[in-house]
Coordinates of all heavy atoms in Angstrom, one line a residue:
Q37 N -1.1 2.5 16.4 CA -1.5 3.5 17.3 C -1.9 2.9 18.7 O -1.5 3.4 19.7 CB -2.6 4.3 16.7 CG -3.1 5.5 17.6 CD -4.2 6.3 17.0 OE1 -4.7 5.9 15.9 NE2 -4.5 7.4 17.6
S38 N -2.7 1.9 18.6 CA -3.2 1.3 19.9 C -2.4 0.1 20.3 O -2.8 -0.6 21.3 CB -4.7 0.9 19.7 OG -4.8 0.0 18.6
S39 N -1.3 -0.2 19.7 CA -0.5 -1.3 20.1 C 0.4 -1.0 21.2 O 1.0 0.1 21.3 CB 0.3 -1.8 18.8 OG 1.1 -2.9 19.2
L40 N 0.7 -2.0 22.1 CA 1.6 -1.8 23.2 C 3.0 -2.0 22.7 O 4.0 -1.4 23.3 CB 1.3 -2.8 24.3 CG -0.1 -2.7 25.0 CD1 -0.3 -3.8 26.0 CD2 -0.2 -1.4 25.7
A41 N 3.2 -2.8 21.7 CA 4.6 -3.0 21.1 C 4.5 -2.5 19.6 O 3.9 -3.1 18.8 CB 5.0 -4.5 21.1
K42 N 5.2 -1.3 19.4 CA 5.1 -0.7 18.1 C 6.2 -1.1 17.2 O 7.3 -1.3 17.6 CB 5.1 0.9 18.3 CG 3.9 1.4 19.2 CD 4.0 2.9 19.3 CE 2.9 3.4 20.2 NZ 1.6 3.2 19.5
L43 N 5.9 -1.1 15.9 CA 6.9 -1.4 14.9 C 7.6 -0.1 14.5 O 8.8 0.0 14.5 CB 6.2 -2.0 13.6 CG 5.8 -3.5 13.8 CD1 5.0 -3.9 12.5 CD2 7.0 -4.4 14.0
A44 N 6.7 0.9 14.1 CA 7.3 2.3 13.8 C 7.3 3.1 15.1 O 6.3 3.8 15.4 CB 6.4 2.9 12.7
T45 N 8.4 3.1 15.8 CA 8.5 3.7 17.1 C 8.5 5.2 17.1 O 8.2 5.8 18.1 CB 9.7 3.2 17.8 OG1 10.9 3.5 17.0 CG2 9.7 1.7 18.1
R46 N 8.8 5.8 15.9 CA 9.0 7.3 15.9 C 7.8 8.0 15.3 O 7.7 9.2 15.4 CB 10.2 7.7 15.2 CG 11.5 7.1 15.8 CD 12.7 8.0 15.4 NE 12.5 9.4 15.8 CZ 13.3 10.4 15.4 NH1 14.3 10.1 14.6 NH2 13.1 11.6 15.9
L47 N 6.9 7.3 14.7 CA 5.7 8.0 14.1 C 4.8 8.5 15.1 O 4.5 7.9 16.2 CB 5.0 7.0 13.2 CG 5.5 6.7 11.8 CD1 4.6 5.7 11.0 CD2 5.8 7.9 11.0
T48 N 4.3 9.7 14.9 CA 3.3 10.4 15.7 C 2.2 10.9 14.9 O 2.2 11.0 13.7 CB 3.9 11.5 16.5 OG1 4.4 12.5 15.6 CG2 5.1 11.0 17.4
A49 N 1.1 11.3 15.6 CA -0.1 11.8 14.9 C 0.2 13.1 14.2 O -0.2 13.4 13.0 CB -1.2 12.0 15.9
K50 N 1.0 14.0 14.8 CA 1.4 15.3 14.2 C 2.3 15.1 13.0 O 2.2 15.8 12.0 CB 2.1 16.1 15.2 CG 1.2 16.9 16.2 CD 1.9 17.9 16.9 CE 1.0 18.8 17.8 NZ 1.7 19.9 18.5
A51 N 3.1 14.0 13.0 CA 4.0 13.8 11.9 C 3.2 13.2 10.7 O 3.5 13.5 9.5 CB 5.1 12.8 12.2
C52 N 2.1 12.5 10.9 CA 1.3 11.9 9.9 C 0.2 12.9 9.4 O -0.1 12.8 8.2 CB 0.7 10.6 10.4 SG 1.8 9.3 10.7
W53 N -0.2 13.8 10.2 CA -1.2 14.7 9.8 C -0.8 16.1 10.2 O -1.4 16.8 11.1 CB -2.6 14.4 10.5 CG -3.2 13.2 9.9 CD1 -4.1 13.2 8.8 CD2 -3.2 11.9 10.4 NE1 -4.5 11.9 8.6 CE2 -4.0 11.1 9.6 CE3 -2.5 11.3 11.5 CZ2 -4.1 9.7 9.8 CZ3 -2.7 9.9 11.7 CH2 -3.4 9.1 10.8
P54 N 0.3 16.6 9.6 CA 0.8 18.0 10.0 C -0.1 19.1 9.4 O -0.7 18.9 8.3 CB 2.2 18.0 9.4 CG 2.1 17.1 8.2 CD 1.1 16.0 8.5
S55 N -0.1 20.2 10.1 CA -0.8 21.4 9.6 C 0.1 22.1 8.5 O 1.2 21.6 8.2 CB -1.1 22.4 10.7 OG 0.1 22.8 11.4
S56 N -0.4 23.2 8.0 CA 0.4 23.9 7.0 C 1.7 24.4 7.5 O 2.8 24.4 6.8 CB -0.4 25.1 6.4 OG -1.6 24.6 5.8
L57 N 1.7 24.9 8.8 CA 3.0 25.3 9.4 C 3.8 24.2 9.9 O 5.1 24.2 9.8 CB 2.7 26.3 10.6 CG 2.1 27.6 10.2 CD1 1.7 28.4 11.5 CD2 3.1 28.4 9.4
E58 N 3.2 23.1 10.3 CA 4.0 22.0 10.9 C 4.7 21.2 9.7 O 5.6 20.4 10.0 CB 3.1 21.0 11.6 CG 2.6 21.6 13.0 CD 1.5 20.8 13.6 OE1 0.9 19.9 12.9 OE2 1.3 21.0 14.8
R59 N 4.3 21.4 8.5 CA 5.0 20.7 7.4 C 6.4 21.3 7.2 O 7.2 20.6 6.6 CB 4.2 20.9 6.1 CG 2.9 20.2 6.1 CD 2.1 20.4 4.8 NE 0.8 19.8 4.8 CZ 0.0 19.7 3.8 NH1 0.4 20.2 2.6 NH2 -1.2 19.2 3.9
Q60 N 6.7 22.5 7.8 CA 8.0 23.0 7.7 C 8.9 22.6 8.9 O 10.0 23.0 8.9 CB 7.9 24.6 7.6 CG 7.0 25.1 6.5 CD 6.8 26.6 6.6 OE1 7.7 27.3 7.1 NE2 5.7 27.1 6.2
N61 N 8.3 21.9 9.8 CA 9.1 21.4 11.0 C 9.9 20.2 10.6 O 9.5 19.2 10.2 CB 8.1 21.1 12.1 CG 8.7 20.9 13.4 OD1 9.9 20.4 13.5 ND2 8.0 21.2 14.5
V62 N 11.3 20.4 10.8 CA 12.2 19.4 10.4 C 12.1 18.2 11.3 O 12.2 17.0 10.9 CB 13.6 19.9 10.4 CG1 14.6 18.8 10.0 CG2 13.8 21.1 9.4
K63 N 11.9 18.4 12.6 CA 11.8 17.3 13.6 C 10.6 16.4 13.2 O 10.7 15.2 13.4 CB 11.6 17.9 15.0 CG 12.9 18.6 15.5 CD 12.7 19.0 16.9 CE 14.0 19.7 17.4 NZ 13.8 20.2 18.8
L64 N 9.5 17.0 12.8 CA 8.3 16.1 12.4 C 8.6 15.4 11.2 O 8.2 14.2 11.0 CB 7.1 17.0 12.3 CG 6.5 17.6 13.5 CD1 5.3 18.4 13.2 CD2 6.1 16.5 14.6
A65 N 9.3 16.0 10.2 CA 9.7 15.3 9.0 C 10.6 14.2 9.2 O 10.5 13.1 8.6 CB 10.3 16.3 8.0
L66 N 11.5 14.3 10.2 CA 12.5 13.2 10.5 C 11.8 12.1 11.2 O 12.4 11.0 11.2 CB 13.6 13.8 11.3 CG 14.6 14.7 10.6 CD1 15.7 15.2 11.6 CD2 15.2 14.1 9.4
K67 N 10.6 12.2 11.7 CA 9.9 11.1 12.3 C 9.3 10.2 11.2 O 9.2 9.0 11.4 CB 8.8 11.6 13.2 CG 9.3 12.3 14.5 CD 8.1 12.8 15.3 CE 8.6 13.5 16.6 NZ 9.4 12.7 17.5
V68 N 9.1 10.8 10.1 CA 8.6 10.0 8.9 C 9.8 9.4 8.2 O 9.8 8.2 7.9 CB 7.7 10.9 8.0 CG1 7.3 10.1 6.7 CG2 6.5 11.4 8.7
F69 N 10.8 10.3 7.8 CA 11.9 9.8 7.1 C 13.0 9.3 8.1 O 14.0 9.9 8.4 CB 12.5 11.0 6.3 CG 11.6 11.4 5.2 CD1 10.9 12.5 5.3 CD2 11.6 10.7 4.0 CE1 10.0 12.9 4.2 CE2 10.8 11.1 2.9 CZ 10.0 12.2 3.1
D70 N 12.7 8.1 8.6 CA 13.5 7.5 9.6 C 13.7 6.0 9.2 O 12.7 5.4 8.6 CB 12.9 7.6 11.0 CG 13.9 7.1 12.1 OD1 14.8 7.8 12.4 OD2 13.7 6.0 12.5
N71 N 14.8 5.4 9.5 CA 15.0 4.0 9.2 C 14.0 3.1 9.9 O 13.7 2.0 9.3 CB 16.5 3.6 9.5 CG 17.5 4.2 8.6 OD1 17.2 4.5 7.4 ND2 18.7 4.5 9.1
S72 N 13.6 3.4 11.1 CA 12.6 2.6 11.7 C 11.3 2.5 11.0 O 10.6 1.5 10.9 CB 12.4 3.1 13.2 OG 11.8 4.4 13.2
T73 N 10.9 3.7 10.4 CA 9.7 3.7 9.6 C 9.8 2.8 8.3 O 8.9 2.0 8.0 CB 9.3 5.1 9.2 OG1 9.3 5.9 10.3 CG2 8.0 5.2 8.4

Side-chain angles (χ1 to χ4, degrees):
Q37 183 179 8
S38 59
S39 177
L40 297 175
K42 298 181 181 295
L43 289 173
T45 55
R46 298 205 59 192
L47 281 183
T48 60
K50 278 192 174 184
C52 294
W53 288 274
S55 62
S56 299
L57 289 177
E58 289 172 346
R59 293 181 184 185
Q60 306 175 31
N61 192 326
V62 178
K63 292 183 179 179
L64 291 180
L66 290 180
K67 291 181 183 297
V68 175
F69 292 101
D70 189 80
N71 287 332
S72 62
T73 306

